[in-house]
Amino acid sequence: MLLKLCCIYSTGVFSMLLLIAGISMVLSNVFPHFLQSVVEKEIVLKNGTLAFDAWENPPAPIYMQFYFFNLTNPLEVLDGDKPAVVEIGPYTYREYRPMEEVSFHENGTKVTAVNTKTYIFQPNMSRGPESDLIRTVNIPAVTVMEKFKKTSLVASLISSYMKSTGEGLFTTRTVGELLWGYEDELLKTLKVIRPELDDVFGLFYKSNASNDGEYMFFTGQQDYRDFARVDTWNGESSLNWWTSDECNMINGTNGASFHPVITKNETLYMFSSDLCRSLYALYEEDVIVKGIPGYRFSPPSEVFANLTVNPANAGFCVPAGNCLGSGVLNVSACKQGAPIIMSSPHFYQADEKFVQDVFGMKPKKEHHETTIDINPLTGFVLQAAKRIQINVYVEKIPTFSQTGNVRTVVLPVVYLNESVIIDDASVRKLKVIVLEENVVVNIPFMLIGLGILLGGIFMFLMCRQKIPESTAAERQPLLSS
Ligand SMILES: *[C@@H]1O[C@H](CO)[C@@H](O)[C@H](O)[C@H]1NC(C)=O
Ligand SMILES: *[C@@H]1O[C@H](CO)[C@@H](O)[C@H](O)[C@H]1NC(C)=O
Ligand SMILES: *[C@@H]1O[C@H](CO)[C@@H](O)[C@H](O)[C@H]1NC(C)=O
Ligand SMILES: *[C@@H]1O[C@H](CO)[C@@H](O)[C@H](O)[C@H]1NC(C)=O
Ligand SMILES: *[C@@H]1O[C@H](CO)[C@@H](O)[C@H](O)[C@H]1NC(C)=O
Ligand SMILES: *[C@@H]1O[C@H](CO)[C@@H](O)[C@H](O)[C@H]1NC(C)=O
Ligand SMILES: *[C@@H]1O[C@H](CO)[C@@H](O)[C@H](O)[C@H]1NC(C)=O
Ligand SMILES: *[C@@H]1O[C@H](CO)[C@@H](O)[C@H](O)[C@H]1NC(C)=O
């Protein structure tokens, strides 16, 4: 009898203890904190860690896809008509970007490396070969005309030279030439007087199989929030005249890594050298990528908004006070004077006037926004798509008859989608972590549940315990009342 009572009471005490332990664990957040600290220790650039392997050689395939705008009415445009374009693509390249010449410094708190990018054409994922012809604006010619438009003597010399070679405002070139470079007759001639100029033009000329200098990264050993953050970058050498350098860095990193334990309130900063500025992205929605939960971040429309909406953008009206409107960025200054204007594809989130100025623009959020999906616990990038359009500012230049009666327009040339989706091997590793997270985070609730269950058993046993002590007579009125 005594033993039985003892058992019952210890059940009660145990249930109370479980409840107290469970509730205090929930209140103190001990397990999420524990989990964070485990992850934080794993996320460091150190020979042997998963994070290091993924950083050194990103396992997921990265694809760079180009969509060109083929101009269909060049003669009419020269007469002042609205340009009409047809989107042609994708032309897909697999992008390899391993970290090379990796070496550690300062007791493993910093690491230096160069990031060499190689692009390999993927015929099976492309609409046609690299030899497809595209008619678009003649960027070297426009750049030269803009440069010399105010010096009428030089302008007329260049203009008559262009007439003799038959060069005009528009040109037809292959996809391969436009991207990776071709020798331009006009530039070749100018090189005679200005030898420092390059006579090859290509939107991504010199970008293949090259790196943009040495980066020094923090390893995250001292503070996990510094994981893979760039400390210094010291090499401007590979940037050429018009290279739209494809190095999208997130606070300096190459875009492939974030610090772990991301929250919805976080602002992700990215530095994009093709936009000559840093961007930020905000939480948009919850997503599930290959079964793994993630937060989707994307740049809000204010990033590119006009001055009325976002006065902070005043610095991007160049020259001062000269604002083009929302959604477009004059990056001429960082493209050696080429009148290049960056925007989202199809002028998504830009002023309606840019969309209206060109036949063939159909902005769509799901196709044209830049997104990055991150697993919040680990900071792993589950999926990302960086989408940017390269446009040329075209206007009538009276000193050059080649520009005819063209109307002033921001003319789209090509847009790119650089995307990555997490590989299956990493998915398997992440699934284990996510499962562990779910189990560990639920331990306090399991304890509380067990406590309640034991409490119930305790009460049941206590009631039963009382039955023999009470008489049937005492219970009778209770039941009948
Ligand atoms: C990492 O370790 C491997 C084998 O232990 C070694 O071959 C490699 O050079 C090391 N890498 C660095 C960057 O130290
Ligand atoms: C590296 O660690 C050693 C021993 O802990 C210390 O004496 C030294 O100053 C450290 N060096 C740097 C560059 O931090
Ligand atoms: C880039 O360089 C690699 C290696 O040098 C080469 O195999 C590849 O065809 C090049 N890609 C392009 C687009 O030229
Ligand atoms: C682009 O337009 C030009 C001129 O009309 C044409 O020759 C070319 O085939 C078009 N390109 C493609 C890929 O359709
Ligand atoms: C990233 O850069 C922005 C501004 O360039 C800065 O405000 C922010 O604190 C940086 N974030 C981190 C994690 O270093
Ligand atoms: C700025 O953008 C807003 C919203 O798109 C528009 O209503 C406003 O007229 C624009 N202001 C200027 C000066 O373009
Ligand atoms: C773009 O900026 C450059 C200087 O950086 C300036 O000369 C040019 O006029 C600007 N273009 C437009 C269309 O505002
Ligand atoms: C890249 O974006 C384009 C345009 O929205 C889309 O058609 C294409 O499927 C995307 N590519 C990848 C690999 O997501």
Side-chain angles (χ1 to χ4, degrees):
M1 194 63 206
L2 197 64
L3 188 70
K4 203 172 159 193
L5 213 59
C6 186
C7 268
I8 294 173
Y9 281 121
S10 44
T11 309
V13 171
F14 198 52
S15 120
M16 280 310 281
L17 285 179
L18 283 175
L19 280 174
I20 291 169
I23 291 170
S24 54
M25 279 172 184
V26 170
L27 292 181
S28 67
N29 251 335
V30 57
F31 279 106
H33 283 154
F34 166 74
L35 211 59
Q36 275 184 24
S37 65
V38 170
V39 169
E40 283 159 19
K41 281 206 194 71
E42 268 303 298
I43 304 290
V44 55
L45 293 178
K46 198 164 81 182
N47 208 348
T49 64
L50 274 180
F52 176 76
D53 293 344
W55 171 85
E56 190 182 34
N57 230 323
I62 305 168
Y63 290 104
M64 179 74 113
Q65 297 182 298
F66 297 96
Y67 297 79
F68 283 88
F69 293 106
N70 209 6
L71 184 72
T72 58
N73 59 346
L75 296 178
E76 291 84 345
V77 173
L78 284 174
D79 278 344
D81 276 6
K82 189 159 134 176
V85 296
V86 176
E87 182 186 301
I88 294 191
Y91 295 92
T92 306
Y93 294 82
R94 171 90 189 259
E95 183 181 327
Y96 295 88
R97 45 159 81 174
M99 290 292 175
E100 290 174 344
E101 300 166 30
V102 177
S103 70
F104 290 94
H105 305 273
E106 299 182 25
N107 288 346
T109 59
K110 292 183 181 175
V111 58
T112 53
V114 298
N115 192 203
T116 305
K117 294 180 185 171
T118 305
Y119 300 89
I120 307 289
F121 187 61
Q122 309 287 307
N124 300 339
M125 292 174 71
S126 304
R127 83 167 286 281
E130 283 174 296
S131 56
D132 277 356
L133 287 171
I134 303 293
R135 182 160 55 201
T136 185
V137 55
N138 188 346
I139 300 178
V142 171
T143 306
V144 169
M145 292 192 285
E146 282 288 341
K147 251 193 182 125
F148 296 105
K149 67 178 174 187
K150 296 216 175 87
T151 50
S152 51
L153 181 67
V154 185
S156 69
L157 275 175
I158 294 173
S159 181
S160 37
Y161 174 78
M162 284 172 72
K163 260 180 220 138
S164 74
T165 59
E167 269 196 82
L169 187 57
F170 302 111
T171 184
T172 303
R173 293 281 170 179
T174 69
V175 166
E177 285 175 331
L178 287 171
L179 292 177
W180 310 110
Y182 57 92
E183 201 174 80
D184 184 85
E185 282 305 315
L186 182 59
L187 294 180
K188 209 169 147 186
T189 310
L190 279 180
K191 197 178 160 77
V192 177
I193 32 173
R194 300 268 297 274
E196 75 277 12
L197 298 187
D198 209 320
D199 54 357
V200 176
F201 167 76
L203 293 165
F204 291 83
Y205 174 51
K206 285 186 180 165
S207 300
N208 187 32
S210 73
N211 67 70
D212 49 6
E214 192 182 63
Y215 289 84
M216 167 99 77
F217 301 90
F218 289 105
T219 56
Q221 185 173 284
Q222 281 169 325
D223 184 347
Y224 74 93
R225 277 170 304 207
D226 279 342
F227 170 74
R229 190 162 71 78
V230 168
D231 184 22
T232 59
W233 173 48
N234 50 36
E236 300 107 340
S237 53
S238 81
L239 296 174
N240 97 308
W241 263 47
W242 291 285
T243 305
S244 168
D245 169 73
E246 251 325 283
C247 138
N248 177 31
M249 297 177 292
I250 289 160
N251 257 23
T253 75
N254 63 8
S257 46
F258 281 100
H259 66 75
V261 204
I262 297 271
T263 68
K264 290 186 184 178
N265 298 328
E266 206 114 2
T267 304
L268 303 181
Y269 287 91
M270 344 177 178
F271 173 78
S272 176
S273 50
D274 26 39
L275 299 182
C276 311
R277 66 175 290 189
S278 71
L279 292 179
Y280 60 92
L282 299 178
Y283 168 81
E284 189 179 309
E285 60 187 344
D286 280 22
V287 290
I288 300 226
V289 180
K290 293 194 179 176
I292 310 223
Y295 293 165
R296 168 159 295 178
F297 286 78
S298 64
S301 59
E302 296 87 71
V303 169
F304 289 133
N306 66 20
L307 287 189
T308 333
V309 177
N310 186 356
N313 277 348
F316 302 103
C317 300
V318 277
N322 179 18
C323 300
L324 287 172
S326 287
V328 296
L329 227 47
N330 179 357
V331 295
S332 178
C334 52
K335 309 289 175 198
Q336 271 78 9
I340 304 278
I341 309 282
M342 294 293 193
S343 69
S344 293
H346 288 247
F347 299 111
Y348 168 69
Q349 282 185 335
D351 272 357
E352 187 61 20
K353 80 167 182 232
F354 298 110
V355 178
Q356 294 302 329
D357 277 354
V358 181
F359 284 114
M361 295 292 103
K362 292 181 207 78
K364 262 211 175 82
K365 179 183 166 71
E366 62 271 35
H367 287 137
H368 302 138
E369 78 170 341
T370 290
T371 57
I372 181 151
D373 302 342
I374 301 170
N375 175 249
L377 176 67
T378 57
F380 263 66
V381 174
L382 304 176
Q383 183 170 274
K386 176 185 150 191
R387 293 163 171 152
I388 290 182
Q389 180 165 295
I390 301 171
N391 313 277
V392 173
Y393 186 82
V394 175
E395 62 178 351
K396 178 175 174 166
I397 304 175
T399 40
F400 284 93
S401 57
Q402 281 78 6
T403 57
N405 273 320
V406 71
R407 56 166 86 180
T408 301
V409 64
V410 176
L411 193 66
V413 175
V414 64
Y415 80 82
L416 59 89
N417 177 10
E418 186 179 25
S419 63
V420 65
I421 182 157
I422 190 167
D423 58 299
D424 293 336
S426 304
V427 166
R428 280 192 291 277
K429 286 175 202 155
L430 263 185
K431 274 201 172 138
V432 173
I433 297 176
V434 169
L435 186 73
E436 281 170 1
E437 179 192 11
N438 285 339
V439 170
V440 168
V441 165
N442 284 317
I443 285 179
F445 299 102
M446 292 180 206
L447 293 185
I448 291 174
L450 202 62
I452 290 172
L453 187 73
L454 284 183
I457 293 175
F458 168 69
M459 282 197 254
F460 173 74
L461 290 178
M462 279 307 275
C463 292
R464 267 193 41 178
Q465 194 65 26
K466 286 213 169 94
I467 293 168
E469 287 164 16
S470 49
T471 65
E474 272 175 311
R475 278 197 297 160
Q476 208 63 51
L478 251 176
L479 283 174
S480 57
S481 62

